[in-house]
Amino acid sequence: GWRAPPVRPADSRSDRRGQSGASPHRPRWEGLCDAWSLSATFYPEPTTPRQILLPDGREINFSVGDQKALLLKTFDSVPRDSLRFYGQRFTGNVDGWIFPDLFPQELHRYVEKQLFERRRPFVMDHDPGVEVWSEPVFKANYKISAVPGRTDAVAVRLWLYSATTFVDRGLKDQVGLREIVREYDYRLFGVQDGLGNLMVQSGTWEKGDLVDSRRDHPDFVYSVIDPATVRRMSQNPEIDADIVDKILGR
């Protein structure tokens, strides 16, 4: 057996999500993957067109793509105090101490708590570089192996399952999950307690068979602190979450 230390929340001033704004100087990769990921963790996917009858008798049709777009827009300005981040933003210094962050012992414990114990999905920036590529993670598996000649370490291979944003842009009304599995390798270090459990104190990313996790690991993860009280907000002041919910039949 083994036990990990508590995960370390990130400084709220150093988190970064893929926010889309009106500035023409924003990075070309920037978009709404953060809002899409959050909305995907909260609501079922719209799968059929809907028609809304206005008081004056007119009818407005909303395609599946229209509904998805409206839904994610209600999540593109969720207040920071509604979210809890683990890991800090990477700003470009590959040789800096912060590049290994998110640290593997923190990710491992977070996955255990969020997926296995709380049974809630979370959002992950899978790109360790400057760009932010957020995905909703909904499942995980891992394999723990002994490290030959060492009683203070274990080797771990972790698989995270998420929905990918890489879909055909021409299929705006596409329905269904396109799953992607990401593999990570790391070691956990600590001391054994009286029962032989490893009390984890630190970890290192390792080079695996398929991926070099020293250079390819999540940058940060986050989730909503309390799903019951999260405040859905949009950068567009004309977007009203309650009206969107009515359009979607919720």
Side-chain angles (χ1 to χ4, degrees):
W2 76 285
R3 295 181 182 177
V7 290
R8 170 181 55 83
D11 186 329
S12 62
R13 296 168 297 180
S14 63
D15 70 80
R16 59 185 173 89
R17 297 181 292 144
Q19 296 283 0
S20 72
S23 171
H25 305 295
R26 68 180 185 270
R28 295 182 62 184
W29 52 263
E30 197 172 80
L32 288 170
C33 59
D34 60 322
W36 166 72
S37 297
L38 278 175
S39 65
T41 66
F42 267 82
Y43 288 100
E45 177 185 28
T47 57
T48 58
R50 287 184 57 80
Q51 296 77 39
I52 303 298
L53 185 65
L54 299 180
D56 61 6
R58 289 181 299 161
E59 188 176 81
I60 299 179
N61 298 313
F62 292 89
S63 68
V64 169
D66 292 335
Q67 296 172 64
K68 290 182 178 181
L70 287 170
L71 181 59
L72 75 82
K73 283 299 293 180
T74 66
F75 283 90
D76 72 0
S77 284
V78 172
R80 186 174 298 171
D81 60 9
S82 295
L83 306 172
R84 180 172 289 123
F85 289 80
Y86 296 94
Q88 300 184 59
R89 66 175 298 179
F90 174 67
T91 56
N93 181 10
V94 177
D95 297 321
W97 72 269
I98 204 170
F99 187 78
D101 172 89
L102 177 67
F103 298 108
Q105 71 274 17
E106 296 176 331
L107 177 63
H108 193 108
R109 185 55 179 157
Y110 182 78
V111 168
E112 284 196 327
K113 293 290 291 185
Q114 190 69 12
L115 290 181
F116 298 159
E117 297 180 20
R118 296 173 183 156
R119 298 187 178 278
R120 294 179 184 172
F122 63 87
V123 179
M124 170 180 71
D125 172 22
H126 71 81
D127 190 321
V130 174
E131 296 184 8
V132 178
W133 292 93
S134 299
E135 294 176 345
V137 179
F138 58 89
K139 185 171 69 173
N141 288 314
Y142 60 78
K143 178 182 178 181
I144 298 179
S145 305
V147 177
R150 301 194 62 164
T151 60
D152 65 339
V154 292
V156 185
R157 178 162 292 172
L158 172 69
W159 295 274
L160 295 180
Y161 298 75
S162 59
T164 178
T165 58
F166 295 101
V167 297
D168 189 340
R169 292 190 176 184
L171 301 177
K172 296 182 179 180
D173 295 322
Q174 178 175 314
V175 173
L177 170 67
R178 180 170 291 184
E179 180 183 278
I180 187 169
V181 184
R182 301 190 184 278
E183 181 176 299
Y184 303 102
D185 289 272
Y186 49 91
R187 288 189 178 185
L188 301 174
F189 302 90
V191 295
Q192 289 190 356
D193 63 12
L195 299 177
N197 296 312
L198 183 65
M199 308 297 290
V200 176
Q201 298 174 330
S202 62
T204 57
W205 294 109
E206 302 289 334
K207 186 178 186 302
D209 297 331
L210 298 177
V211 178
D212 187 348
S213 296
R214 297 171 300 180
R215 296 293 179 183
D216 187 358
H217 57 261
D219 195 10
F220 60 85
V221 295
Y222 64 94
S223 56
V224 171
I225 296 175
D226 184 359
T229 61
V230 63
R231 289 178 290 156
R232 294 161 55 201
M233 299 176 64
S234 175
Q235 294 178 17
N236 183 341
E238 301 301 322
I239 297 290
D240 185 303
D242 291 334
I243 294 178
V244 171
D245 286 347
K246 291 179 181 179
I247 292 173
L248 272 63
R250 306 190 188 285

